[in-house]
Structures are given as structure tokens and as C-alpha cells.
Amino acid sequence: GDEADATACSGCGRDSTTETCVGNQNSLTPVSDEECKNCMSGQSYWPCSDQDLCWCWDTTKPKKPPAPLSGYAVNESVDPCSLFTKEMFDLFA
């Protein structure tokens, strides 16, 4: 699958024969699956330079693109359950 890298689909297909790089149909910029396939061979310019345009799809699973990147760094030091507890959830549910 994808790794935290600067280009889209950088690790796609490396460990699996069922992965392919495809265009994100939810993107505001149209890009085809054919254009994104070049990202698997190391292309670093458009569309591969934008991780929101292409994504690594495992063909054994439903074709649902990932959510857009937020631009925020992942905070691995905070447990999300400490921010939003079961009691808080129950209050809203």
C-alpha cells in the first residue's frame, strides 16, 4: 500500500499483485486511472506529486477512495479515546 512519502502510490504493488494506482474520482481535479498508473513506476510529477489525485487500490476490495488529506501531522502521542470518551459519545447518541 501507500507509505508516508511525497508521491502518490509510492509503495503500491510492492508487496501485493492485487494493488494498482488509480485516479481519485472524488478529486476536484479530474485524473484518469491510466495517468495514475505511472506513479507505480516512480513518476514524481503530476498527477503523482499530489497525493489527493491518485491512490493505491487493492482490487480485492471495494473501490472507495480515501478521505482527502487534512494537511495536519498525525499526532501519535495522543490517544483519541482520551479526547472523546464513551461518556461523551453516549451523551450525543
Side-chain angles (χ1 to χ4, degrees):
D2 281 335
E3 298 172 356
D5 200 338
T7 58
C9 300
S10 61
C12 193
R14 186 176 300 150
D15 299 322
S16 172
T17 59
T18 61
E19 291 179 341
T20 187
C21 191
V22 295
N24 185 346
Q25 68 267 25
N26 294 336
S27 171
L28 296 175
T29 305
V31 61
S32 70
D33 292 351
E34 195 62 36
E35 290 169 306
C36 287
K37 283 184 182 177
N38 296 325
C39 304
M40 291 181 65
S41 59
Q43 178 174 307
S44 60
Y45 52 89
W46 191 94
C48 308
S49 57
D50 188 333
Q51 292 181 345
D52 287 332
L53 297 181
C54 302
W55 62 284
C56 188
W57 173 45
D58 182 340
T59 58
T60 64
K61 298 179 180 163
K63 191 175 182 182
K64 298 193 187 245
L69 299 175
S70 69
Y72 292 105
V74 175
N75 187 341
E76 296 178 9
S77 64
V78 175
D79 176 15
C81 293
S82 68
L83 300 174
F84 192 70
T85 64
K86 182 182 181 319
E87 291 78 20
M88 292 170 74
F89 176 82
D90 290 341
L91 184 66
F92 293 110

